[in-house]
Amino acid sequence: MDKKLIYTDNAATTRVAAEVLEAMLPYFRNEYGNASALYSLGQGSADALKTARAQVAKVLNADAAEIVFTGSGTEADNMALIGVMNSPVAKGKKHLITTVIEHPAMLRTAERLEKQGFSVTYLPVDGDGLISLSQLEEAICDDTALVSIMFANNEIGTIQPIAEIGALCKSKGVLFHTDAVQAFGAVPIDVKAMNIDLLSLSAHKINGPKGVGALYLKKGIALRPVVFGGGQERGLRGGTENIPGIVGLGHAAQLRADNLEEYSQKMTALRDRLIDGVLTAIPKVQLTGHKDKRLPAIASFVIEAIEGESLLLMLDMAGICASTGSACSTGSLDPSHVLMGIGLKHEVAHGSLRLSLGGYNTVEEIDYIIETLPGIVTKLRAMSPVWNG
Ligand code: PLP
């Protein structure tokens, strides 16, 4: 590709960091042994697994033994929900509480559980995307086994009051899972201080490889497995371990943890420059998600009288990769359930734009977006039958 690409879709996926790739390569080339093997080649893989487990655990203030590697964030979400609801740890309780703005990995799993006879409460969110703690408290009943509320939203970036939710769940004797796929490596997470019992994460959102994730599972929670097999991951997730991928996850996690403050400051500055620039340069644009309680790297908007898909195509022609609604639902013309969840009308939700930044973005790129976007919006609005501005 000749043309310079400005990549602002890091909430969808990220480029693998050079250091991460370097760390992974030996496990494709030389250290390819099966971690369960008794000869020394296998030992190299087993050691790598151990190191990565410790690296991931450290970011969460967890113990290495509490990390279960999975094939994705989606799998970790499935494992948490299906695993808890079907385990003795649920004590026969059949009620799950989640929110209307979860990722499809959660929502489709919750729907599946409903079909199997479990009951699910989907908490609403306010206009900023925040749940209400009092509504959560009211929803918890004697039959509630698990509360699962995402740490931060992938479309609008809103961060939930996780420590307060954790404390409430603990006081009610209910397990608490959080989908932290967007938050892991982006904001500080302390599973002990936040009273989190289970947490899902994924490597490819933090400059790690695709197809590898993990579930933090607090010591003592006996989960029923979802993937059965050869006893790997303490019998919780069968299948020969993806050692290069897991090494990549461990390195990516450590890189972020070592530079979290710096990452957060850089992203916040770029994000706020972008948000201010867009809101100033284009009339009838609204920021979506909470103004302050938001991920450092997500800028998200709805732009009146604009069709998100057309906007993306024109941005692509200008060399800018962005997204509208959720990348995972691309191909569907339904308005995003998250934007509907925060109370936007269909026609407004269709004009959504998410620019999610990453460590490789520069101030010059942000300024180029701020210069380019208004012209595209003007062109599209000129063609729009609903624009009367
Ligand atoms: N949960 C959230 C909040 C996400 O943003 C994503 C990915 O977009 C997932 C879960 C799924 O993660 P993975 O792509 O690793 O399956």
Side-chain angles (χ1 to χ4, degrees), residues 37-115:
L38 293 178
Y39 39 76
S40 49
L41 183 65
Q43 200 49 50
S45 296
D47 289 347
L49 207 50
K50 199 170 157 194
T51 304
R53 212 182 292 285
Q55 283 169 320
V56 173
K58 190 158 176 249
V59 181
L60 299 171
N61 190 26
D63 295 337
E66 296 174 313
I67 303 300
V68 183
F69 291 116
T70 64
S72 60
T74 299
E75 190 187 313
D77 283 342
N78 273 258
M79 196 171 172
L81 260 57
I82 299 171
V84 166
M85 298 311 286
N86 287 286
S87 296
V89 74
K91 299 182 186 132
K93 297 177 182 183
K94 297 221 165 283
H95 180 225
L96 160 73
I97 300 174
T98 186
T99 80
V100 295
I101 60 162
E102 299 292 313
H103 187 272
M106 285 287 310
L107 291 176
R108 299 294 90 79
T109 309
E111 287 161 14
R112 181 80 204 151
L113 286 167
E114 278 187 281
K115 287 202 179 87

Side-chain angles (χ1 to χ4, degrees), residues 300-315:
S300 55
F301 309 92
V302 280
I303 309 178
E304 199 178 304
I306 290 292
E307 197 55 55
E309 285 74 18
S310 320
L311 181 60
L312 289 198
L313 290 177
M314 293 190 65
L315 283 170

